[in-house]
């Protein structure tokens, strides 16, 4: 028994039963009776320290590993070992255990998101580890105070609180290691406990293979446990179940023919270029770069300096020193040697060189706490400190340390910050707004919730983690065809591009390089480098996707529900105007909504059509309040009628469109020097100065009128219209130099054709405001339909808008990524806030001039700028009908959902490219 690590408690001898001896032993007996309550108190303290705010900090988007493990556990619930090709990156016991927990605890979303449910298990495992570490410390020679101190060092360490909240295989492994060690140190000599200890160690290895690092320490302890009736069988009894359980892993690979070397890829062994292999994976993990122990810049020392020491330098440095002291004490006390080995081996593993991850420090934490506590008892004896002072001194020391960590900011964020809010808001927005068929490249931490229905929305079967796209050919080629254009969206953090590069994930890199930011969700600012701000970003690949099509449907639904009453589109002031009616007719015919078209045209014909065959401008409360006509609305209405007649083979609509086209020429076209020009309306043709609104110029419509109304010179009107646009955009107006923008209004001398001042509104009519941006949309549509070189040339002159969007703001980092609502003719900003018509006009112009900037604006302002309500989606102010209609036109132009229905058959329901 001399070599035993711990001798069984002897029966009290009769001579020790004397009253005076019992009086001396009473404090010890009393402490033993109170130990269960002490341990319970330690567990309550651990529950508070680890449980409070654990769903919010660290953010579940902090580490991809949480999503990877919960995703694999989810697959187990559906009968699969993993959701993708199993590449043997880790043994499966950990996520099988997590799957069991999810199964018995009420499902994936029993406690919130899937990762939240996993974190509850991490909390329970930590609470179970507290009595285990307490008993291990006692069995290695620590008294009640020392055991409690070791447990508190471990449980209250900022390192433990931070990393043990995370759903990690390392945290599950630690529980099984402590369970194994506690059973192995049992001094009562029951072989069944030794066997169970070996089995627990085997489960620890199948949870995370790094548990094997402690094998020498456990073998040493097993060799010292030589009990009277078992002798050498204690070691065999421990090794045999451990070997049997651990062998399941290579046996599984052998039976699947995946044990021996295959053909590994650069990033993930075997999965991309050939057959997966356990051997390949082990070799890959052992040879990953990270720097040697003597290299001060290797990953280990970098983490020591930048992460671990800052979070808990006391436990890290003090524990390391205590390990050295206990190893030296081991020449006289084998219990100290056992503790020293338990502390040394994880440190050597972390410092070995190669890849080291920040959370792997949890492997060493309980053993560093164990060593630091055990070294205090001989130190107390050497310093002749009374035993009764140890407990209060330890408590004061812990309080002082905890106070220091709180004041330094290392503990405070764990309890009062909510960085997870960014990820939760991103997940909720994606679930609520992206179509379920979208193809997404996502972070692992969002993957499980996106793939499962619940969490406020549908399942996304085509959402895939970026790591699996890099490593799994079935995903990369089978789902995405190894083509970035099959990707719709990326859900990433700002630094994820580096991970794409490290993983040689060319598909994700190509998609990201052809994508633009839609939305960014941020949590409250991070306090330090170790407590960073969480940022989640949604990027849209530069092509029409499922959401773009959905925007058209949902926006149209909102416009109908919110504004239409029996065919009348009523704005916030209860006005119906010829402009909004004409937009609604175009929207209906392009959308294939015949019932809606007939309803809107029926009301418009009855209430706005005048004796000349044109539309009165405004109607309110059952009567016309502004009888003047608007040439832009009349042109759009005539085009809508002609396309509707062609689409639905309705001669009545064709005839109505032909009549309106003739009326436009008769009442809204003027002649200057024998050439036709489009006036603003019938009211603008009566004086020597004709009012002209450049945004009424619709050359795409006139090309249809050429065939529907061949008796008039519509080609001539196209020519003069383009000439006027080029001239008026370049000319100095009102004494101001030109920024190249078209004006809202301009006067045209009917004798000379010169531009003259026009007072038609209170504001300067030469401004680029809420009307002029429509010019770019109309010219862009004409370029799509006709390929007219003049259209492309005019759009190519919109450099001012490009510069506005790309200009860097005063902070020196942020781009404007918007156009203002109103500019003077020289480019000075009048109204800083953006407008939907301004955004649509800029997108239309820049899709030709600078597609990348156009995609930036479209992604941020149209895709990222809408709000969802029960009736559909809207942009900006929900009661702004004009904004909703121009938001729809912007999305429709981008998705090529505005075909020339006069010349081509009605399109299928799918759409094609967003720019030419």
């Amino acid at each position: 028994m001399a070599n035993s690590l711990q001798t069984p408690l002897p029966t009290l001898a009769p001579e020790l039963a004397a009253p005076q001896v019992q009086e001396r032993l009473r404090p010890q007996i009393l402490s033993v009776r109170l130990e269960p309550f002490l341990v319970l108190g330690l567990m309550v303290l651990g529950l508070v320290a680890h449980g409070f705010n654990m769903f919010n900090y660290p953010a579940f988007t902090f580490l991809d590993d949480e999503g990877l493990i919960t995703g694999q556990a989810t697959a187990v619930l559906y009968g699969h070992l993993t959701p993708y090709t199993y590449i043997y990156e880790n043994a499966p016991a950990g996520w099988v255990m997590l799957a069991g927990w999810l199964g018995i605890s009420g499902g994936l979303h029993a406690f919130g998101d899937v990762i939240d449910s996993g974190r509850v298990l991490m909390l329970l495992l930590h609470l179970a580890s507290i009595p285990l570490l307490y008993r291990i410390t006692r069995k290695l020679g620590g008294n009640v105070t020392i055991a409690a101190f070791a447990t508190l060092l471990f449980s209250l360490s900022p390192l433990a609180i931070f990393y043990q909240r995370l759903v990690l295989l390392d945290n599950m492994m630690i529980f099984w290691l402590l369970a194994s060690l506690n059973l192995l140190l049992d001094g009562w000599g029951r072989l069944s406990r030794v066997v169970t200890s070996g089995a627990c160690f085997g489960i620890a290895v199948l949870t995370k293979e790094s548990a094997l690092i402690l094998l020498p320490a456990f073998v040493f302890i097993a060799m010292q446990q030589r009990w009277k009736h078992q002798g050498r069988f204690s070691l065999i009894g421990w090794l045999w179940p451990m070997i049997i359980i651990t062998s399941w892993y290579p046996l599984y690979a052998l039976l699947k023919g995946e044990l021996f070397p295959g053909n590994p890829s650069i990033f993930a062994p075997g999965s991309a270029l050939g057959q997966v292999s356990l051997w390949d994976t082990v070799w890959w993990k052992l040879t990953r770069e990270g720097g040697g122990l003597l290299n001060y810049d290797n990953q280990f020392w970098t983490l020591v300096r930048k992460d671990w020491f800052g979070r808990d330098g006391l436990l890290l440095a003090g524990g390391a020193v205590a390990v050295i002291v206990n190893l030296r004490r081991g020449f006289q006390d084998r219990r100290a040697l056992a503790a020293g080995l338990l502390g040394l081996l994880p440190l050597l593993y972390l410092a070995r060189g190669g890849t080291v991850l920040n959370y792997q420090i949890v492997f060493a934490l309980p053993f560093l706490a164990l060593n630091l506590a055990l070294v205090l008892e001989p130190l107390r004896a050497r310093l002749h400190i009374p035993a009764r002072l140890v407990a209060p001194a330890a408590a004061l020391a812990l309080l002082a340390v905890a106070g220091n960590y709180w004041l330094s900011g290392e503990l405070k964020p764990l309890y009062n910050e909510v960085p997870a809010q960014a990820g939760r808001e991103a997940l909720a927005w994606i679930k609520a707004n992206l179509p379920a068929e979208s193809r997404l490249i996502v972070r692992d931490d969002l993957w499980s919730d996106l793939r499962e229905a619940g969490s406020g929305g549908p399942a996304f079967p085509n959402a895939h983690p970026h790591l699996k796209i890099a490593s799994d050919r079935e995903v990369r080629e089978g789902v995405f065809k190894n083509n970035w254009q099959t990707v719709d969206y990326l859900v990433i953090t700002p630094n994820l591009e580096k991970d794409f590069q490290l993983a040689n994930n060319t598909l994700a890199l190509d998609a990201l390089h052809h994508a633009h930011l839609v939305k960014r969700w941020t949590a409250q600012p991070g306090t330090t480098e170790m407590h960073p701000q969480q940022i989640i970003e949604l990027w849209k690949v530069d092509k029409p996707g499922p959401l773009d099509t959905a925007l058209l449907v949902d926006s149209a639904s909102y416009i109908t529900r919110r504004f239409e009453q029996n065919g009348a589109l009523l704005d916030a002031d209860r006005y119906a105007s010829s402009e909004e009616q004409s937009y609604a007719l175009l929207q209906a015919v392009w959308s294939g909504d015949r019932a809606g078209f007939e309803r809107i045209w029926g009301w418009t014909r009855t209430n706005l059509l005048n004796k000349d065959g044109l539309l009165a401008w405004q109607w309110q409360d059952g009567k016309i309040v502004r009888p003047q006509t608007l040439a832009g609305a009349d042109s759009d209405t005539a085009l809508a009628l002609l396309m509707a007649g062609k689409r639905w083979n309705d001669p009545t609509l064709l005839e109505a469109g032909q009549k309106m086209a003739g009326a436009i020429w008769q009442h809204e076209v003027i002649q200057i020097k024998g050439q036709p020009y489009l006036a603003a309306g019938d009211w603008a043709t009566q004086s020597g100065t004709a009012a002209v609104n450049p945004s009424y110029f619709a050359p795409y419509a006139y090309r249809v009128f050429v065939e529907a109304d061949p008796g008039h010179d519509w080609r001539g009107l196209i020519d003069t219209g383009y000439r006027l646009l080029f001239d008026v955009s370049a000319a100095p107006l009102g004494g101001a130099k030109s920024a190249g923008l078209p004006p809202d209004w301009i006067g045209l001398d009917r004798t000379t054709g010169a531009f003259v001042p026009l007072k038609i509104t209170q504001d300067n009519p030469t401004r680029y405001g809420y009307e002029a941006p429509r010019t770019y949309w109309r010219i862009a549509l004409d370029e799509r339909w006709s390929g007219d070189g003049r259209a492309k040339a005019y759009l190519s002159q919109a450099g001012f808008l490009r510069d506005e969007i790309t200009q860097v703001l005063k902070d020196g980092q942020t781009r404007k990524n918007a156009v203002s609502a109103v500019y003077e003719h020289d480019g000075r900003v009048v109204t800083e806030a953006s407008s939907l018509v301004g955004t649509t006009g800029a997108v239309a112009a820049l899709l030709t001039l600078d597609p990348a900037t156009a995609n930036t604006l479209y992604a941020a302002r149209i895709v990222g700028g809408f709000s969802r309500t029960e009736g559909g989606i809207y942009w900006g102010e929900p009661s702004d009908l004009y904004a909703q209609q121009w938001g729809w036109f912007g999305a429709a132009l981008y998705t090529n959902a505005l075909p020339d229905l006069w010349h081509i058959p009605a399109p299928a329901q799918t759409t094609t490219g967003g720019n030419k």
Side-chain angles (χ1 to χ4, degrees):
M1 300 293 288
N3 290 329
S4 176
L5 281 172
Q6 180 171 327
T7 304
L9 297 175
T11 303
L12 292 177
E15 60 271 19
L16 295 179
Q20 61 271 28
V21 176
Q22 289 186 342
E23 185 65 28
R24 290 199 307 271
L25 291 175
R26 183 171 288 113
Q28 297 182 34
I29 296 172
L30 186 62
S31 67
V32 170
R33 290 176 178 174
L34 293 177
E35 269 191 282
F37 297 100
L38 173 63
V39 173
L40 181 60
L42 294 171
M43 293 176 68
V44 171
L45 191 59
L47 174 64
V48 175
H50 286 252
F52 187 77
N53 204 40
M54 73 173 183
F55 294 145
N56 291 316
Y57 204 103
F60 70 96
T61 52
F62 172 75
L63 200 65
D64 260 337
D65 295 66
E66 286 194 281
L68 179 65
I69 295 165
T70 53
Q72 290 168 319
T74 302
V76 172
L77 293 177
Y78 290 107
H80 306 286
L81 190 59
T82 67
Y84 296 98
T85 303
Y86 185 36
I87 61 173
Y88 299 93
E89 189 173 1
N90 289 113
W95 65 78
V96 171
M97 177 183 178
L98 177 58
W101 161 251
L102 294 174
I104 66 174
S105 63
L108 299 175
H109 301 102
F111 299 93
D113 295 332
V114 181
I115 290 178
D116 292 337
S117 299
R119 287 193 178 186
V120 174
L121 177 61
M122 298 303 104
L123 176 62
L124 295 177
L125 292 178
H126 176 77
L127 296 181
S129 298
I130 289 175
L132 293 175
L133 182 60
Y134 180 91
R135 294 304 305 162
I136 290 167
T137 309
R138 294 282 279 134
K139 292 173 183 179
L140 287 176
N143 59 21
V144 172
T145 301
I146 295 299
F149 186 67
T151 305
L152 288 173
L153 280 174
F154 169 56
S155 188
L156 299 184
S157 166
L159 274 170
I161 296 173
F162 187 90
Y163 286 115
Q164 285 210 300
R165 290 177 172 184
L166 301 174
V167 183
L168 297 172
L169 298 178
D170 304 66
N171 290 326
M172 303 182 212
M173 174 190 70
I174 286 296
F175 165 76
W176 289 110
L177 285 175
L178 293 178
S180 175
L181 184 58
N182 179 58
L183 290 166
L184 187 60
L185 286 171
D186 199 310
W188 293 99
R190 295 179 185 173
L191 187 58
S192 61
R193 298 196 177 191
V194 177
V195 172
T196 306
S197 171
C200 289
F201 191 90
I203 296 174
V205 173
L206 288 187
T207 300
K208 191 72 179 285
E209 300 92 324
S210 52
L212 284 169
I213 300 302
L214 287 179
L215 182 61
F218 275 71
V219 170
F220 171 77
I221 294 171
M223 291 176 64
Q224 302 307 309
Q225 301 293 69
R226 296 183 178 277
W227 297 296
K228 182 176 181 181
H229 300 293
Q230 287 133 23
R232 70 184 66 181
F233 289 105
S234 61
L235 177 59
I236 297 174
W238 186 85
L239 283 173
W240 190 241
M242 186 275 291
I243 293 172
I244 290 176
I245 291 177
T246 305
S247 68
W248 292 348
Y249 192 35
L251 181 61
Y252 171 82
L254 179 64
L255 292 175
K256 290 195 68 179
E258 297 172 346
L259 176 62
F260 300 110
N263 186 15
S265 70
I266 295 174
F267 172 66
S271 59
L273 302 179
Q275 178 180 316
V276 295
S277 162
L278 175 59
W279 176 270
D280 286 332
T281 304
V282 172
W283 181 252
W284 169 70
K285 293 174 73 171
L286 289 175
T287 56
R288 284 186 294 179
E289 294 183 358
L293 175 60
L294 299 181
N295 180 3
Y296 186 63
D297 291 325
N298 77 356
Q299 291 185 4
F300 171 76
W301 291 113
T302 299
L303 288 171
V304 169
R305 298 194 313 269
K306 295 186 176 181
D307 190 305
W308 300 340
F309 199 85
R311 294 190 195 277
D312 194 349
L314 170 67
L315 182 56
L316 201 63
V321 171
V323 167
I324 297 172
V325 173
N326 281 328
L327 288 173
R328 191 175 185 280
R329 287 175 56 214
F331 290 105
Q332 292 82 34
D333 185 348
R334 293 183 180 179
R335 293 178 300 184
L337 180 58
L341 285 173
L342 290 169
L344 176 66
L345 293 173
L347 292 179
L348 291 178
Y349 167 71
L350 295 174
R352 72 194 184 280
T355 299
V356 182
L357 303 175
N358 50 7
Y359 60 80
Q360 290 178 328
I361 189 62
V362 301
F363 187 17
L365 294 181
F367 306 112
L368 292 176
L370 173 69
N371 276 272
L372 187 54
L374 288 175
V375 85
L376 294 180
E377 177 57 28
L379 181 62
R380 179 203 66 80
R382 184 168 296 185
L383 295 177
H384 305 290
I385 300 175
R388 67 179 180 274
L389 297 180
V390 173
L396 287 174
L398 278 175
L399 286 174
V401 171
N404 176 67
Y405 280 128
W406 183 269
L407 293 175
S408 68
E410 292 312 313
L411 273 177
K412 189 184 299 184
L414 294 170
Y415 299 108
N416 65 359
E417 291 188 5
V418 287
Q421 190 63 29
R424 298 192 197 285
E425 290 176 355
L427 188 62
W429 193 93
I430 292 169
K431 284 272 190 176
N433 294 294
L434 292 190
E437 67 271 19
S438 302
R439 284 184 167 88
L440 295 95
I441 297 176
V442 302
R443 292 175 52 88
D444 281 281
D445 40 45
L446 294 171
W447 180 80
S448 294
D449 283 295
L450 287 174
R451 285 296 287 256
E452 295 293 323
S455 298
F460 287 78
N462 294 318
H464 296 277
H466 64 93
L467 289 172
K468 293 303 179 184
I469 291 171
S471 64
D472 197 320
R473 184 169 58 188
E474 291 183 12
V475 179
R476 187 173 58 257
E477 297 181 2
V479 177
F480 293 102
K481 312 302 180 186
N482 210 16
N483 184 351
W484 66 266
Q485 291 182 324
T486 62
V487 181
D488 295 316
Y489 308 96
L490 300 98
V491 186
I492 63 174
T493 49
N495 61 350
L496 202 60
E497 185 175 2
K498 295 179 181 178
D499 292 344
F500 294 167
Q501 293 169 345
L502 290 173
N504 195 30
N505 193 345
T506 56
L507 174 63
L509 281 171
D510 288 344
L512 183 59
H513 293 160
H514 291 88
H516 286 85
L517 180 66
V518 173
K519 292 187 77 69
R520 176 183 288 118
W521 295 270
T522 60
Q524 59 198 78
T527 53
T528 65
E529 184 178 352
M530 290 182 293
H531 301 280
Q533 183 181 33
Q534 287 297 296
I535 301 174
I536 304 297
E537 296 176 342
L538 174 67
W539 288 64
K540 179 187 181 299
V541 177
D542 298 339
K543 66 180 183 65
L547 179 57
D548 303 293
T549 303
L551 288 181
L552 298 179
V553 175
D554 293 343
S555 171
S557 174
Y558 179 82
I559 291 171
T560 299
R561 294 189 181 194
R562 177 66 187 266
F563 300 104
E564 187 193 333
Q565 291 188 11
N566 300 318
L569 278 295
L570 303 179
D571 64 15
D573 296 321
R574 306 293 294 173
Y575 282 98
S577 80
S578 58
E579 281 188 316
E580 277 79 11
Q581 294 297 119
S582 68
Y583 298 156
L585 289 170
L586 284 173
Q587 177 184 299
V589 68
W590 273 321
S591 301
D593 179 11
R594 184 169 187 177
F597 186 93
E598 291 179 346
R599 193 170 58 247
I600 296 164
W601 171 238
W603 186 93
T604 304
R605 182 182 61 237
T606 301
N607 294 279
L608 296 183
L609 194 64
N610 66 18
K611 60 182 179 57
D612 295 326
L614 300 174
L615 302 181
W617 175 13
Q618 268 186 352
W619 174 98
Q620 186 184 42
D621 296 332
K623 61 181 182 295
I624 299 293
V625 294
R626 293 189 179 181
Q628 302 94 334
T629 67
L630 301 180
D634 292 332
S635 297
D636 289 338
T637 301
L639 176 65
L641 289 167
L642 291 169
M643 291 196 302
K646 193 61 114 20
R647 179 167 197 168
W648 295 310
N649 194 26
D650 189 329
T652 303
L653 295 177
L654 287 172
E655 182 181 1
Q658 291 167 341
K659 287 183 177 179
M660 188 168 289
I664 291 170
W665 189 273
Q666 183 176 356
H667 298 286
E668 295 176 335
V669 174
I670 59 174
Q671 298 290 323
I672 299 178
K673 295 183 177 181
Q675 294 182 318
Y677 285 84
L678 183 72
D682 58 2
W683 55 275
T685 63
Q686 307 302 317
S687 66
T689 298
V692 174
N693 188 316
S695 72
Y696 289 171
F697 177 55
Y700 52 88
Y702 309 151
R703 298 182 196 280
V704 174
F705 298 168
V706 166
E707 300 176 20
D709 181 39
H712 297 112
D713 185 15
W714 293 104
R715 287 191 177 90
L717 189 63
I718 294 173
D719 294 338
T720 58
Y722 267 115
R723 186 163 59 246
L724 183 146
L725 271 186
F726 279 104
D727 291 344
V728 77
S729 299
L733 299 176
K737 293 182 179 180
S738 172
L741 299 171
D744 284 342
W745 292 88
I746 189 65
L748 197 62
D749 188 293
R750 294 188 62 179
T751 301
T752 65
F755 300 131
V756 295
L758 183 69
K759 189 63 178 177
I760 196 169
T761 64
Q762 285 185 325
D763 298 325
N764 184 353
T766 62
R767 286 175 176 174
Y768 179 88
Y770 293 95
E771 299 188 58
R774 299 179 300 198
T775 304
Y776 288 118
W777 183 87
R778 293 187 187 278
I779 300 305
L781 186 59
D782 189 48
E783 200 275 333
R784 293 276 179 93
W785 283 16
S786 71
D788 193 318
R790 292 171 295 183
K792 185 173 183 179
Y794 183 76
L795 297 172
S796 297
Q797 295 181 2
F800 174 84
L801 297 177
R802 176 195 56 203
D803 296 342
E804 274 291 284
I805 296 166
T806 58
Q807 69 167 298
V808 179
L809 300 182
K810 294 180 180 179
D811 62 7
Q813 296 179 340
T814 308
R815 289 188 172 188
K816 185 175 179 180
N817 282 346
V819 288
S820 298
V822 182
Y823 296 92
E824 295 289 3
H825 190 61
D826 60 6
R828 287 174 295 147
V829 174
V830 177
T831 302
E832 182 68 43
S834 61
S835 69
L836 256 298
V837 68
T839 296
T840 291
V843 168
L846 295 176
L847 281 173
T848 294
L849 172 64
D850 187 348
T853 303
N855 280 299
T856 297
L857 187 63
Y858 177 81
R861 299 293 170 175
I862 294 183
V863 177
F866 72 85
S867 300
R868 184 168 294 280
T869 185
E870 184 178 352
I873 65 102
Y874 63 89
W875 290 275
E877 171 57 47
S879 61
D880 188 346
L881 171 60
Y882 186 68
Q884 309 319 316
Q885 290 182 313
W886 278 101
W888 189 94
F889 282 132
L893 182 73
Y894 184 87
T895 56
N896 271 343
L898 307 175
D900 178 1
L901 297 176
W902 180 260
H903 293 108
I904 63 174
Q909 293 304 306
T910 57
T911 56
T912 55
N915 46 60
K916 298 185 73 171

